[in-house]
Amino acid sequence: MSRRTTLALSGAVVTALAVAAASLSWTIAAPQAAAFAERDLARRYGLGLAVAGPATLTLLPAPRLTFSGVRLSRAGHDLVASDGLQVQLGLAGLLAGRAEITGLVLERARIALPPHAWSDWAEPAARLAARVAAGRGRHLRRLVLVDATVTGRDPRSGAPETVTGLNLVANWPRPTAGLDLSAAFTWRGVPATLALSGLRPRELAAGAETPVTAALTWNGASAGTDRPAEGSAEIEGSLVWAKEPAKEQAEGTARAASTETSGTGPRLSGQGRFVTSALPGTLAWLGIVPGPAALAGPVSLDGRFLARPGAVEWPEIRVQVGDNRLEGAGAASVARGRLSLTGTLAAERLDLSGLMPEALSDGPWSRAPLALDGLTDGDLDLRLSAASARLGPVEAQDVAAGLLVRDGTVEATLGRATVQGGTVKGRAALAALPAGLDARLQGSADRIDLGGLFADLGWPRWILGRAQASVALDGAGSSLADLVRRLSGRAAATVESGEILGVNLADLAQRPDSATTALRRGGRTHFERARVSLTVSDGVAEIGQGQIRAAALAASLGGRIFLSERRLGAEARIEPGPDGRAGGSFAIEGPWQRPSLRPLAARALPPSTLPKAASAYAP
């Protein structure tokens, strides 16, 4: 073997040994190593470093110091306590004998954000922003958190908050490049992931716009509730950090305004999408009282938005709730944990059957307690329009409606709707009481086809014709049954050119003994005009002007409708005809959807002051 070959082999062996040695971790004096790294942390961020355990140095593949039992602090306050810390160093600085930290890896870190720590974190953040904006010196290219825990308090309510199992990787390779971040964590018992890319810290720190793309997903059950929280949110747009005007800074304006009301803070705009299969659970997870959203199930939002601290606006938005698809504009804000929503939305077709109570069924009124707790803990101002809509069994066209929820009240308005060829308008308002609800209803209808309406509702089609009606009712109660029992107000209805199905009043006047079977035999009574007015008090409707006018017949109606029991206690009187045709009086009794007829002895209609137990009023 030649001498040259021997020297080459020796050099290769020495190099390999040197590389192997450099790749090993060497235990070094912890105080000196901590002081060496602390100089850069203090100079760039104002942070102090204390180490309780041993320290090691590794040179390859990149220089790094590793510590155990680490605390990062400022002004005597511990901000971070970590089982392990790896400090990645720039090679050029290390060769020059100074620390240039390019990356940090924290293992099982406990990051504290107590009230006093906000000011402690403010100076490191301000220093970092200033250095980034000015482009001075080397920057932190990599930050890694492994199984970290972050504790703090909700700035809105002051309630303690904890993020556990935080695994985060942030890479910022060059000052002019974008920042990429990915994180997985658990908050309020719900696992979540976050991915962010394209963000340019230099532009953001300088107050300029920066592109940003972000995606957040969550899936679990919110802590302290059995409501599922599942969904995702995606944004693609631009971000700018609005700063307080320099003049106000110079004057030292003393304001305690939060980011919800101040002009400072992030402003985010672009295209966004939000999807959840369980909106109430997701809002509860976010610490927002679900409010009116308790009525909704799967929900998605998609459109152009502008967001600032505590509020977001959608100049263009597409909303899907179940099978309902709507488009329009909207806004949302959160103040002191209370959600406020406004929107103007339009749809080709709406199905609101899920909001229809079973109040019109043939059974007894519900005695379940009434409350608005699930509806009025948030604010809502919603305007809806639809070419067609369904509410329970009723179909409507050209619908314009609104829903207002505020200050413990719920108000629904129907500006207009076409139902069975006629026009319907109305307003219903509910207000919370210490025990139950106060309810008010006003409405009107014009030219409604009664036969078609009754068929939609599944009621017997006992009267046909075009009707106009008005109603104004109010009541209060702890349950629906209680509320109906206390109803008061007025109602009136007029039917033109119609007919009564199931009975022929002219034949009934001639043969009063057939009254008990008249409804079963069938028959028809054509009339020109029928009118009835009701005065409601304590759940009993007194029939005032009850009249039927036909070409050769006149009849009147009196008595009562017992709303609580859903039954009739009325009397119909067929007037004798000018041609000598006999008249007669008949009791109309029993359930209001299946009444019975009973002939009465010839006499005048009983006064309305008769007791409820009178035979003409009770089955």
Side-chain angles (χ1 to χ4, degrees):
M1 181 180 295
S2 66
R3 182 181 180 191
R4 179 177 295 179
T5 302
T6 303
L7 290 175
L9 290 175
S10 300
V13 171
V14 171
T15 302
L17 292 174
V19 170
S23 301
L24 297 176
S25 297
W26 299 85
T27 302
I28 59 176
Q32 289 82 352
F36 179 71
E38 184 183 32
R39 284 195 291 270
D40 194 47
L41 291 173
R43 176 175 60 88
R44 288 205 272 179
Y45 311 114
L47 295 176
L49 174 64
V51 176
T56 60
L57 171 65
T58 305
L59 296 177
L60 293 178
R64 61 186 184 273
L65 290 170
T66 303
F67 302 98
S68 298
V70 172
R71 294 197 313 276
L72 294 174
S73 61
R74 182 188 174 277
H77 297 147
D78 287 342
L79 304 182
V80 179
S82 180
D83 291 354
L85 169 65
Q86 184 183 109
V87 178
Q88 299 172 355
L89 303 170
L91 182 59
L94 188 61
L95 294 176
R98 66 178 185 273
E100 287 185 352
I101 298 177
T102 60
L104 294 175
V105 179
L106 291 161
E107 296 181 359
R108 291 177 294 280
R110 296 169 296 283
I111 303 172
L113 299 175
H116 66 78
W118 292 114
S119 58
D120 293 333
W121 282 107
E123 182 180 347
R127 288 193 183 193
L128 174 61
R131 293 178 66 88
V132 170
R136 298 196 307 266
R138 293 189 176 274
H139 67 285
L140 193 66
R141 294 197 293 263
R142 183 175 175 83
L143 175 64
V144 178
L145 300 177
V146 180
D147 195 18
T149 300
V150 181
T151 60
R153 290 191 177 274
D154 188 331
R156 301 168 301 174
S157 62
E161 295 285 359
T162 303
V163 173
T164 60
L166 174 59
N167 294 293
L168 179 147
V169 177
N171 289 308
W172 184 22
R174 298 182 308 279
T176 57
L179 170 69
D180 294 329
L181 180 148
S182 63
F185 56 91
T186 298
W187 181 46
R188 296 178 177 173
V190 177
T193 62
L194 173 66
L196 183 147
S197 62
L199 180 68
R200 298 183 179 273
R202 176 171 290 183
E203 283 84 344
L204 185 63
E209 282 191 349
T210 172
V212 64
T213 301
L216 175 68
T217 63
W218 60 94
N219 191 353
S222 181
T225 176
D226 57 356
R227 287 174 170 167
E230 182 274 331
S232 64
E234 301 172 2
I235 60 170
E236 183 175 358
S238 60
L239 174 66
V240 63
W241 194 282
K243 297 184 178 180
E244 198 172 12
K247 180 180 178 181
E248 293 186 4
Q249 292 179 355
E251 292 174 351
T253 305
R255 292 197 305 253
S258 68
T259 56
E260 288 184 90
T261 57
S262 72
T264 63
R267 299 289 188 271
L268 182 63
S269 60
Q271 291 291 127
R273 178 173 174 80
F274 170 87
V275 180
T276 178
S277 61
L279 182 59
T282 294
L283 292 178
W285 174 59
L286 295 175
I288 301 171
V289 177
L295 299 175
V299 172
S300 69
L301 309 177
D302 184 9
R304 185 166 57 90
F305 73 94
L306 172 63
R308 63 185 186 276
V312 60
E313 300 174 3
W314 290 279
E316 299 174 3
I317 189 172
R318 293 171 293 277
V319 181
Q320 183 164 350
V321 181
D323 294 330
N324 297 318
R325 295 177 175 86
L326 306 99
E327 295 185 0
S333 62
V334 177
R336 295 177 295 278
R338 185 178 178 89
L339 176 65
S340 178
L341 297 173
T342 61
T344 301
L345 301 172
E348 284 296 318
R349 178 170 177 79
L350 280 178
D351 188 350
L352 304 177
S353 300
L355 306 181
M356 185 70 176
E358 296 295 330
L360 300 178
S361 64
D362 199 24
W365 301 104
S366 171
R367 296 190 177 277
L370 292 176
L372 296 178
D373 295 343
L375 300 175
T376 59
D377 292 328
D379 295 334
L380 175 65
D381 187 355
L382 181 62
R383 311 296 172 88
L384 291 174
S385 61
S388 66
R390 172 175 287 275
L391 182 61
V394 179
E395 282 276 0
Q397 292 76 41
D398 190 25
V399 178
L403 181 62
L404 182 66
V405 179
R406 189 168 296 166
D407 299 329
T409 64
V410 175
E411 180 179 329
T413 58
L414 181 61
R416 70 173 186 278
T418 301
V419 177
Q420 290 296 332
T423 302
V424 178
K425 299 180 180 180
R427 172 182 174 273
L430 299 175
L433 297 174
L437 298 178
D438 176 83
R440 299 178 184 274
L441 172 66
Q442 296 178 342
S444 65
D446 185 46
R447 304 293 299 167
I448 298 292
D449 178 6
L450 283 181
L453 179 62
F454 284 12
D456 284 348
L457 293 173
W459 294 356
R461 298 171 71 247
W462 62 274
I463 185 169
L464 305 179
R466 292 282 177 178
Q468 63 180 30
S470 64
V471 62
L473 299 173
D474 62 80
S478 58
S479 66
L480 188 57
D482 190 27
L483 191 151
V484 172
R485 184 172 58 84
R486 300 182 183 184
L487 272 182
S488 299
R490 294 181 178 276
T494 302
V495 183
E496 304 282 354
S497 301
E499 60 181 334
I500 300 173
L501 304 182
V503 63
N504 187 313
L505 294 181
D507 290 348
L508 190 62
Q510 298 297 324
R511 300 176 57 192
D513 58 323
S514 66
T516 55
T517 60
L519 294 179
R520 291 193 295 272
R521 291 200 321 269
R524 291 174 180 260
T525 300
H526 295 273
F527 61 85
E528 297 172 355
R529 179 184 178 91
R531 174 176 173 79
V532 64
S533 63
L534 304 174
T535 300
V536 184
S537 178
D538 294 330
V540 177
E542 294 280 354
I543 302 174
Q545 300 178 4
Q547 300 174 347
I548 297 177
R549 297 292 178 187
L553 181 141
S556 59
L557 182 69
R560 298 175 179 178
I561 302 174
F562 300 93
L563 302 179
S564 295
E565 294 86 357
R566 299 176 184 256
R567 66 181 179 88
L568 298 174
E571 181 179 326
R573 179 176 180 179
I574 303 173
E575 303 292 341
D579 56 357
R581 185 187 63 245
S585 298
F586 302 87
I588 305 175
E589 307 166 333
W592 59 21
Q593 292 191 20
R594 294 181 299 278
S596 62
L597 288 175
R598 179 168 57 85
L600 297 174
R603 57 183 173 84
L605 283 174
S608 61
T609 55
L610 282 179
K612 296 181 182 179
S615 62
Y617 293 85

